């Protein structure tokens, strides 16, 4: 008997029997398996990083580069996940994880080796990040910064592309070299803290990690400084507040004070303009279309002055008080316990900063440089008539791009345009969270990095806070309560504002509760305006949860169906301490 789905406006109900784990997709989401054996696997999708249909170019670059980069690290770190397979179905990317298999003795030995290596690296995590990994990433940047994209010959550009792919692999190698110990440090500290102090939660542990500056917060402050400059000149503020992006850019040079603001804006975009709304390349970069920047500025300009560094200092003071309290409680514990606490604390504090900084160096600026290289080919293909628009290049695959670069007569304009239209059409159809065949039992993952990877895609992980795959959201006895994960403590009541794109950010007013699928570092400016956060995807260490704690607003993350259950403008209460959203 086949598993069947029944859809309601509020949730997706799944009726199943003990003997049937096969998943039948919704009628409006047909699935055709190219390899029949794929249907026997459990496929889940990453709504935290790619909640929408994924562009072919992004996947064709990132998947092999990330796979090769991680492959260089797997055995060195004795990782639990040794491989992954990806399948694009109706534009959405689904993932199946391949776990290390062996005899019980082999698995135990691998677990011991993994923990030994992680502990050795975490003991010098800050030094390794500052002196090894970060400088290596900055060196990679120089390759792109020093190359003249616009004036290079096609042969030089093709050679530069080959070098770009090689360096993207290296970038992902560094990503996984730092990622596993980073998540291990945070996981170990959370466990140790909650074991030491009766009744303590993971949120309590994270109070000892907050208040350290990072690249994400620095970008938020840079945008805030832009808004203060605009407020100093009412003409500029009025222009930003009342006009579209194109009108703003056209009128700025003619507006009193506009040239000064334009220079500051240009500097901001030169520094941070590689960023896109989310991870995929289908979104325009800020330096291509600064609409998200102006959307945040519109909200910021309406807010009174405040000292952003003072806010950070307040968060840091809370951290130091929490650390002092913990040390006082540990005063009578054996020296070995206190020393281990301090070792784990230092590593976790470094790891939390790294969790935000690595997105700056890799996910947005690093991959942003790669995106610029690909986009340059798109520009040239448009001039040669091989494409209709430069951005259409992201709807091709890397093999397509290389073929067009080698053969100027090859025209893939229709292919790219059709793929774009197809992805746009599938974006209107909510994709199921899982496909294939459900596992008999949750994944047993001894690595913190492996557990986090699996949680990205909603896979069912043992000993974790993730729900089983067939629970769209954890049930609650009260139909007016939506349950997710505790992301940032506290309660807040406010009007729900559903924001699915940064270009729509001007709709968020001071005190509104931001409701969205997921957030990425470019969304950080919204946290100064929002009174709280609710996301469909994510967990305690997701970007939205981490930044909510830094801005000291309550957050419920991983609520799964928040954007389809909560109505725009509805009054709600966010209980970030308990992971609950009440519909008022």
């Amino acid at each position: 008997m086949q598993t069947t789905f029944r859809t309601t406006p509020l949730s997706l109900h799944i009726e199943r029997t003990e003997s049937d784990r096969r998943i039948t997709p919704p009628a409006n989401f047909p699935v055709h398996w190219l390899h029949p054996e794929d249907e026997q696997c459990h496929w889940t999708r990453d709504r935290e990083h790619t909640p929408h249909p994924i562009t072919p170019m992004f996947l064709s670059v990132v998947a092999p580069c990330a796979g090769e980069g991680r492959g260089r690290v797997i055995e060195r770190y004795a990782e639990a996940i040794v491989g992954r397979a990806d399948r694009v179905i109706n534009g959405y990317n689904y993932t199946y994880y391949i776990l290390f298999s062996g005899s019980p003795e082999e698995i135990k030995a691998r677990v011991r080796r993994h923990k030994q290596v992680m502990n050795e690296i975490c003991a010098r995590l800050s030094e390794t990040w500052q002196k090894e990994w970060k400088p290596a990433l900055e060196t990679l940047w120089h390759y792109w910064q020093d190359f003249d994209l616009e004036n290079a010959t096609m042969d030089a550009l093709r050679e530069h592309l080959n070098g770009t792919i090689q360096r993207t692999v290296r970038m992902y190698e560094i990503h996984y070299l730092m990622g596993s110990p980073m998540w291990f440090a945070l996981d170990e500290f959370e466990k140790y803290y909650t074991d030491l102090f009766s009744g303590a939660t993971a949120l309590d542990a994270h109070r000892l990690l907050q208040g350290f500056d990072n690249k994400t917060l620095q970008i938020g402050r840079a945008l805030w400084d832009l808004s203060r400059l605009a407020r100093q000149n009412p003409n500029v503020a009025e222009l930003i507040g009342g006009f579209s992006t194109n009108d703003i850019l056209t009128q700025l040079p003619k507006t009193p004070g506009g040239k000064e603001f334009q220079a500051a804006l240009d500097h901001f975009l030169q520094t941070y303009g590689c960023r896109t709304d989310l991870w995929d390349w289908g979104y325009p970069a800020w330096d291509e279309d600064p609409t998200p920047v102006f959307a945040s500025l519109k909200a910021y300009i309406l807010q009174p002055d405040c000292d952003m560094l003072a806010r950070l200092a307040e968060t840091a003071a809370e951290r130091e008080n929490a650390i002092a309290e913990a040390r006082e409680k540990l005063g009578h514990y054996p020296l070995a316990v206190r020393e281990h606490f301090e070792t784990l604390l230092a590593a976790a504090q470094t790891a939390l900063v790294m969790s935000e900084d690595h997105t700056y160096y890799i996910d947005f600026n690093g991959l942003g440089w790669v995106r610029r290289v690909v986009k340059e080919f798109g520009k040239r293909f448009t001039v040669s008539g091989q494409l209709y628009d430069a951005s259409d290049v992201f709807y091709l695959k890397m093999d397509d791009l290389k073929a067009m670069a080698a053969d100027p007569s090859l025209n893939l304009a229709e292919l790219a345009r059709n793929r774009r239209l197809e992805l746009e059409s599938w974006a209107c159809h909510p994709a199921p969270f899982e496909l294939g065949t459900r596992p008999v039992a949750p994944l047993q993952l001894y690595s913190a990095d492996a557990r986090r990877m699996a949680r990205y895609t909603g896979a069912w992980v043992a000993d974790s806070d993730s729900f089983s795959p067939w629970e769209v959201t954890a049930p609650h006895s009260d139909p007016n309560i939506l349950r997710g994960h505790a992301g940032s403590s506290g309660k807040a009541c406010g009007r729900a504002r559903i924001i699915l794109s940064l270009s729509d950010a001007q709709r968020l007013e001071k005190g509104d509760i931001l409701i969205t699928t997921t957030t990425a570092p470019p969304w950080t400016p919204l946290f100064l305006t929002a009174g709280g956060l609710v996301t469909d995807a994510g967990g305690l260490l997701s970007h939205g949860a981490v930044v909510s704690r830094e801005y000291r607003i309550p957050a419920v993350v991983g609520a799964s169906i928040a954007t389809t259950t909560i109505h725009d403008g509805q009054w709600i209460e966010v209980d970030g301490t308990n992971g609950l959203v009440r519909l008022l």
Side-chain angles (χ1 to χ4, degrees), residues 33-305:
W33 299 103
L34 294 179
H35 307 287
E37 61 272 18
D38 282 352
E39 194 173 6
Q40 307 304 315
C41 303
H42 187 229
W43 302 87
T44 51
R45 64 185 182 90
D46 181 356
R47 293 193 300 152
E48 187 171 337
H49 289 94
T50 52
H52 309 302
I54 193 168
T55 54
M57 182 61 69
F58 182 78
L59 189 62
S60 70
V61 172
V62 169
C65 289
E68 184 176 344
R70 188 170 186 273
R72 299 175 181 179
V73 177
I74 289 172
E75 290 309 312
R76 176 177 173 178
Y77 283 175
E79 277 292 346
I81 293 177
V82 297
R84 61 179 282 175
D86 293 278
R87 298 288 185 269
V88 176
I89 301 174
N90 300 333
Y92 291 88
N93 189 55
Y94 286 83
T95 300
Y96 169 70
Y97 290 108
I98 304 166
L99 309 187
F100 174 78
S101 60
S103 68
E105 292 74 20
E106 289 173 329
I107 293 175
K108 288 179 181 178
R110 191 175 179 89
V111 171
R112 286 194 299 270
R113 184 158 67 91
H114 173 76
K115 290 186 175 180
Q116 179 184 352
V117 173
M118 290 298 101
N119 281 315
E120 290 172 355
I121 296 175
C122 287
R124 49 185 174 80
L125 190 59
S126 179
E127 179 183 2
T128 306
W129 166 241
Q130 293 294 339
K131 295 183 178 180
E132 183 177 335
W133 294 328
K134 186 166 74 169
L137 291 170
E138 291 170 341
T139 298
L140 292 177
W141 282 17
H142 292 318
Y143 175 78
W144 294 301
Q145 291 171 330
D146 297 340
F147 185 79
D148 187 353
L149 272 178
E150 293 183 359
N151 296 309
T153 65
M154 179 58 82
D155 286 342
L157 187 60
R158 290 167 62 188
E159 183 63 28
H160 183 68
L161 176 64
N162 293 332
T164 290
I165 297 302
Q166 294 170 9
R167 284 161 178 80
T168 305
V169 172
R170 172 57 178 159
M171 188 162 60
Y172 271 105
E173 180 183 7
I174 298 170
H175 181 284
Y176 290 111
L177 281 171
M178 62 182 289
S180 198
M182 181 171 74
W183 303 125
F184 179 86
L186 291 165
D187 198 51
E188 288 294 291
F189 178 71
E190 285 178 21
K191 291 177 181 176
Y192 199 65
Y193 185 93
T194 53
D195 284 345
L196 279 175
F197 304 113
S198 178
T201 67
L203 278 179
D204 296 327
H206 276 268
R207 289 193 180 91
L208 284 67
L209 313 180
Q210 67 185 31
F212 290 100
D213 204 9
N214 58 59
K215 288 294 183 182
T216 298
L217 298 179
Q218 290 168 17
I219 294 169
R221 289 201 302 274
L223 192 55
W224 176 258
D225 290 342
L226 267 182
S227 75
R228 299 306 90 183
L229 180 60
R231 276 174 62 95
Q232 292 173 14
N233 192 310
N235 294 304
V236 173
E238 182 179 359
L239 177 65
I240 294 173
F243 291 86
S244 68
T245 296
N246 288 337
D247 289 338
I248 294 170
L249 294 176
T250 301
Q251 295 299 321
L252 260 180
K254 309 172 188 176
T255 302
K259 291 183 178 179
E260 179 187 3
F261 182 84
Q262 180 74 62
L265 175 65
D266 290 344
H267 177 72
F268 177 87
L269 293 176
Q270 183 178 11
T271 307
Y272 305 118
C274 278
R275 307 169 81 78
T276 54
D277 281 14
L278 292 173
W279 282 262
D280 191 11
W281 289 339
Y283 306 95
W286 285 4
D287 57 2
E288 296 170 356
D289 180 4
T291 295
V293 175
F294 288 126
S296 293
L297 286 174
K298 292 176 192 292
Y300 275 13
I301 287 171
L302 298 176
Q303 298 185 33
D305 291 338

Side-chain angles (χ1 to χ4, degrees), residues 185 189 205 208-209 323 327 340-350:
F189 178 71
L208 284 67
L209 313 180
I323 292 173
R327 287 172 175 162
H340 191 52
F341 173 83
E342 295 295 340
T343 299
L344 293 179
L345 174 62
Q349 288 175 337
T350 296

Side-chain angles (χ1 to χ4, degrees), residues 26 371 432 494 506:
R371 184 184 187 278
Q506 71 274 6

